[in-house]
C-alpha cells in the first residue's frame, strides 16, 4: 500500500528545486534540461496494519521553458510571465490500497473481514496549476480531477514555500499547505464503499476533508552538475478521516532523498 504522502513526495522535491532556480533567476529563459538520479522514499502507514516502507525510486526531471516532467508529474505552460505562471498538469496519484496488506486481526476487532473489502486503485489526475513568485517565497495552487476511473473525484492543493539560501551550496525550503479532497475522492480512499456495505461492513463516509501539511526541504550542490536534495513532510489527518475503520493513525510522516546529475 502506498498513501497520498508518497504521491506528494514524488512530485514536490523536483518541483521545489526546479522552482528554486526560477525563483532566484526570474529572467532566465534557457531550458533547464534533463536531470537523472536515484532516490529513496520512506512513508509511515495510515491504514490498518500498514508498515513503514523504504522504497528506492528513480529521480527524473526534464525542464524546458514550456514543458516539464518531474517524476510522475508533468505539465505545460499555458501562460507565464516573470512572476506568474499557469500550467496544465497531469500526474499519477500513487495513493492506493491492497486489502491483502491489511492486518486481519485489527480488522476483526472492528468487525471487518478482509474478504469484505475491495482494493483502492491509483488515479490519473489532470488539471491546472497556478504559481505566484514573490520576494518572500512561492505560492502554488492546483485543481485536479481523477480521469483514470478510480475515485473520479477532485482535489485542490495549496502550498507556500520559502527559499532560504544559506550559502552558495545549501538551500533550505520550508513549506506549508493544505489539500482539499472532494466527497468522491475522500469517500473512496478513506470511507467504506457501497459494495462493501452490501457485504456487511458498517457504512462510513467522511465526505470532503481538508488535510494540512508542513514540510522542510533542502538542496545541496555537490558539483556544477550534481546535487543532493530531500524533503520531510508531515500531514495531519482530520477527525473525519481518523474515525474511518480503515485508518489507524492520526497523521503521517514521509521523507524523500535523492542524488541527481544535470545533463
Amino acid at each position: 500500500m502506498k498513501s497520498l504522502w508518497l504521491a506528494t513526495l514524488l512530485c514536490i522535491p523536483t518541483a521545489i528545486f526546479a522552482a528554486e532556480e526560477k525563483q532566484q533567476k526570474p529572467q532566465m529563459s534557457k531550458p533547464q534540461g534533463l536531470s537523472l538520479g536515484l532516490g529513496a522514499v520512506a512513508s509511515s502507514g495510515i491504514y490498518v496494519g500498514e508498515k513503514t516502507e523504504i522504497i528506492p525510486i528513480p529521480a527524473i526531471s526534464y525542464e524546458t521553458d514550456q514543458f516539464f516532467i518531474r517524476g510522475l508529474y508533468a505539465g505545460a505552460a499555458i501562460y507565464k510571465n516573470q512572476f506568474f505562471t499557469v500550467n496544465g498538469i497531469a500526474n499519477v496519484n500513487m495513493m492506493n490500497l491492497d486489502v491483502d496488506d491489511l492486518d486481519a486481526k485489527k480488522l476483526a476487532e472492528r468487525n471487518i473481514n478482509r474478504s469484505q473489502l475491495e482494493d483502492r486503485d491509483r488515479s490519473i489526475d489532470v488539471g491546472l496549476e497556478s504559481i505566484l513568485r514573490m520576494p518572500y517565497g512561492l505560492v502554488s495552487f492546483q485543481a485536479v480531477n481523477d480521469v483514470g476511473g478510480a475515485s473520479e473525484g477532485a482535489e485542490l492543493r495549496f502550498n507556500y514555500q520559502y527559499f532560504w539560501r544559506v550559502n552558495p551550496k545549501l538551500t533550505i525550503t520550508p513549506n506549508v499547505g493544505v489539500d482539499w479532497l472532494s466527497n468522491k475522492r475522500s469517500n473512496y480512499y478513506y470511507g467504506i464503499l457501497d459494495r462493501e456495505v452490501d457485504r456487511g461492513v458498517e457504512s462510513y463516509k467522511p465526505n470532503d476533508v481538508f488535510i494540512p501539511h508542513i514540510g522542510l526541504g533542502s538542496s545541496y550542490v555537490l558539483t556544477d552538475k550534481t546535487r543532493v536534495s530531500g524533503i520531510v513532510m508531515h500531514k495531519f489527518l482530520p477527525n473525519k478521516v481518523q474515525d474511518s475503520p480503515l485508518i489507524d493513525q492520526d497523521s503521517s510522516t514521509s521523507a524523500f532523498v535523492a542524488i541527481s546529475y544535470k545533463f
Side-chain angles (χ1 to χ4, degrees):
M1 289 183 297
K2 302 295 172 287
S3 66
L4 178 62
W5 326 143
L6 176 56
T8 306
L9 283 170
L10 289 174
C11 297
I12 283 184
T14 50
I16 281 180
F17 303 121
E20 173 195 336
E21 295 183 5
K22 294 178 181 178
Q23 178 80 0
Q24 294 166 359
K25 300 179 181 180
Q27 300 290 346
M28 181 175 54
S29 60
K30 70 175 183 178
Q32 299 298 298
L34 174 67
S35 296
L36 296 176
L38 182 64
V41 61
S43 178
S44 61
I46 62 168
Y47 290 108
V48 175
E50 187 177 25
K51 302 295 192 299
T52 299
E53 293 183 285
I54 300 177
I55 305 167
I57 58 171
I60 302 171
S61 175
Y62 179 72
E63 302 277 338
T64 73
D65 281 342
Q66 300 297 323
F67 178 76
F68 61 84
I69 298 175
R70 301 165 188 156
L72 301 179
Y73 169 57
I78 297 174
Y79 171 83
K80 65 188 303 183
N81 61 30
Q82 182 176 344
F83 301 106
F84 185 69
T85 300
V86 177
N87 297 321
I89 59 172
N91 72 276
V92 179
N93 186 329
M94 291 296 291
M95 186 171 187
N96 76 309
L97 169 62
D98 184 344
V99 298
D100 290 335
D101 292 335
L102 297 178
D103 188 298
K105 182 177 179 180
K106 289 185 177 181
L107 285 175
E109 294 172 354
R110 305 179 184 198
N111 299 315
I112 300 174
N113 189 291
R114 280 193 302 206
S115 63
Q116 297 174 295
L117 300 176
E118 294 190 5
D119 294 339
R120 307 303 197 265
D121 297 326
R122 298 178 178 90
S123 68
I124 300 174
D125 296 337
V126 173
L128 294 174
E129 170 188 63
S130 61
I131 301 172
L132 176 63
R133 297 176 180 85
M134 303 179 297
Y136 297 102
L138 182 150
V139 174
S140 65
F141 178 80
Q142 296 180 347
V144 300
N145 196 80
D146 171 26
V147 299
S151 71
E152 299 182 347
E155 183 172 342
L156 304 179
R157 307 163 183 158
F158 171 83
N159 192 71
Y160 167 77
Q161 56 202 42
Y162 176 76
F163 303 96
W164 175 30
R165 175 62 68 93
V166 179
N167 58 49
K169 290 183 175 292
L170 177 64
T171 300
I172 303 295
T173 312
N175 71 88
V176 61
V178 62
D179 302 331
W180 173 82
L181 280 65
S182 69
N183 290 353
K184 284 186 176 180
R185 199 175 187 99
S186 175
N187 292 340
Y188 182 75
Y189 289 111
Y190 302 127
I192 300 299
L193 305 179
D194 291 340
R195 296 184 296 275
E196 296 168 336
V197 174
D198 293 340
R199 299 184 188 117
V201 183
E202 184 177 352
S203 177
Y204 185 79
K205 296 184 184 300
N207 295 320
D208 67 302
V209 297
F210 289 89
I211 302 179
H213 69 261
I214 57 174
L216 182 65
S218 64
S219 174
Y220 186 80
V221 177
L222 297 175
T223 70
D224 290 342
K225 297 288 187 178
T226 308
R227 72 166 60 188
V228 176
S229 58
I231 184 171
V232 176
M233 177 173 289
H234 189 77
K235 290 208 171 191
F236 305 90
L237 299 180
N239 290 335
K240 291 195 295 183
V241 173
Q242 295 179 42
D243 291 340
S244 169
L246 300 179
I247 302 301
D248 204 26
Q249 303 293 332
D250 59 5
S251 64
S252 179
T253 301
S254 298
F256 170 91
V257 64
I259 183 169
S260 59
Y261 181 85
K262 183 177 178 180
F263 292 89

